[in-house]
Amino acid sequence: MLALRAVAADPADPLSGLAPSAVAEPTVPEGWEVVEVRAAAVNHHDLSTLRGVAVPPERLPVTLGSDAAGLTADGREVLCHAVVPNPGVGVADETEVFGRLSILSEVYDGTHAERVAVPSDNLLDKPASLSFVEAACLPTAWLTAYRMLFTKARVRPGDRVLVQGAGGGVATAAIALATAAGCRTYATSRAEHKRAAARELGASAALPPGERLPTPVDAAIDTVGEATFGHSLRALAPGGTLVVAGATTGPHPPAELHRVFAKQLRILGSSMGTRGELAALLRLLETTGLRPRVAATHPLAEGVRAYRELLDGELVGKVVLLP
């Protein structure tokens, strides 16, 4: 079958290690089953693997991809929760992503293939109201945004939320989810077309990075890192919460501890989410009619093009592969 494989890692030229390959059918451990992939989203985690960060280079080659929606052998339409136990590990806290757990494409082959093996317990029934493409956007970016907002920051209707880096998968999800939850949402981006897209998603205002917001916020959602961390701290109201789930511009911002203690801020890390949170996210989408923004879809055979679009960073929303 066809799969997109990371065969080498290069921080300067990540796509040089991406190889469409013919591979054997998935190995199916006890308690797992095969899903015929109908749609699989592309994420920055995949680029991180190709840069040698998310997966150690000595563990390559590996099939990329953590998100998938598809069909089981008995015809169920399912969505795959991407967080899986490592070999030899039994049931564990699903939030322990490092060490005891991993996500598909880190230890086990991922979803950018015609078929993928997934633990049976990780399969959720796909709501009939969601297309395979829409469902495939949820397990990484949308689940990460859901957990950041509702589990970590504990936002409530009427709260004020800042989302840094509008345009990325997590950021667009966070804008849409916060707006649907009744929050006043602000967004930042260097690009005007991404700021316009943020307003279309429901942001009350979309500003260049670092610009003063109309009002302090209760929560800041940041996957950008060094370039925006200070602005996130400055934007928070006293007692506010900054949730960090990425560092695409670097992991070493100035701490600005004087702001942290003077304003009694909370800084929390977040990574992926639990199966229960994914189920709750599905219910939210069914109830509200909210849907992921899809920027582009491509056949699996044109996967290099899809990765190039993600790397270029000009699109707003998710890029999805169609095996």
Side-chain angles (χ1 to χ4, degrees):
M1 68 175 183
L2 178 64
L4 296 180
R5 303 273 281 176
V7 298
D10 185 341
D13 183 14
L15 298 191
S16 65
L18 176 62
S21 308
V23 299
E25 292 293 325
T27 300
V28 187
E30 184 178 355
W32 292 46
E33 55 189 289
V34 172
V35 174
E36 178 187 320
V37 179
R38 291 296 180 87
V42 185
N43 293 288
H44 279 281
H45 181 275
D46 303 310
L47 293 177
S48 184
T49 296
L50 292 167
R51 291 188 172 106
V53 177
V55 176
E58 61 269 18
R59 199 182 289 165
L60 303 180
V62 68
T63 298
L64 294 158
S66 53
D67 294 355
L71 295 173
T72 61
D74 59 2
R76 287 174 61 205
E77 296 187 351
V78 296
L79 176 64
C80 303
H81 180 223
V83 182
V84 298
N86 285 337
V89 174
V91 176
D93 178 358
E94 292 175 295
T95 63
E96 269 186 47
V97 176
F98 298 104
R100 292 170 60 83
L101 304 178
S102 62
I103 69 173
L104 292 171
S105 79
E106 291 183 342
V107 174
Y108 296 98
D109 280 333
T111 60
H112 292 175
E114 294 178 77
R115 285 167 290 282
V116 62
V118 180
S120 296
D121 289 343
N122 284 52
L123 300 180
L124 291 82
D125 289 331
K126 181 185 74 66
S129 59
L130 286 177
S131 69
F132 284 109
V133 169
E134 292 166 340
C137 298
L138 304 179
T140 297
W142 277 67
L143 178 58
T144 297
Y146 182 95
R147 181 174 178 80
M148 293 175 79
L149 286 166
F150 304 119
T151 302
K152 292 291 188 172
R154 301 197 295 267
V155 301
R156 298 292 184 267
D159 282 355
R160 301 153 299 177
V161 177
L162 168 63
V163 179
Q164 299 279 15
V170 174
T172 55
I175 295 166
L177 287 167
T179 301
C183 298
R184 181 176 293 276
T185 310
Y186 303 102
T188 68
S189 176
R190 291 174 297 175
E192 172 52 35
H193 75 282
K194 293 183 179 180
R195 295 196 293 269
R199 291 188 288 268
E200 291 173 7
L201 289 166
S204 299
L207 309 167
E211 191 164 308
R212 187 180 183 90
L213 301 184
T215 180
V217 297
D218 302 292
I221 302 301
D222 198 327
T223 60
V224 180
E226 284 184 21
T228 57
F229 187 84
H231 181 237
S232 293
L233 291 178
R234 292 191 297 275
L236 286 172
T241 303
L242 168 57
V243 186
V244 179
T248 55
T249 61
H252 302 296
E256 301 194 31
L257 294 179
H258 63 292
R259 298 188 191 281
V260 176
F261 65 74
K263 296 169 69 175
Q264 301 195 56
L265 306 177
R266 297 194 309 153
I267 302 174
L268 302 176
S270 191
S271 183
M272 296 294 288
T274 68
R275 186 186 189 280
E277 288 165 337
L278 183 55
L281 171 61
L282 287 174
R283 292 193 298 271
L284 188 152
L285 266 60
E286 282 194 280
T287 301
T288 63
L290 184 65
R291 295 293 181 268
R293 178 167 176 149
V294 178
T297 60
H298 298 286
L300 182 65
E302 298 178 13
V304 175
R305 178 182 174 189
Y307 273 69
R308 171 63 65 185
E309 289 177 340
L310 183 65
L311 182 64
D312 289 345
E314 293 302 313
L315 297 179
V316 178
K318 297 297 294 177
V319 178
V320 180
L321 297 168
L322 306 175

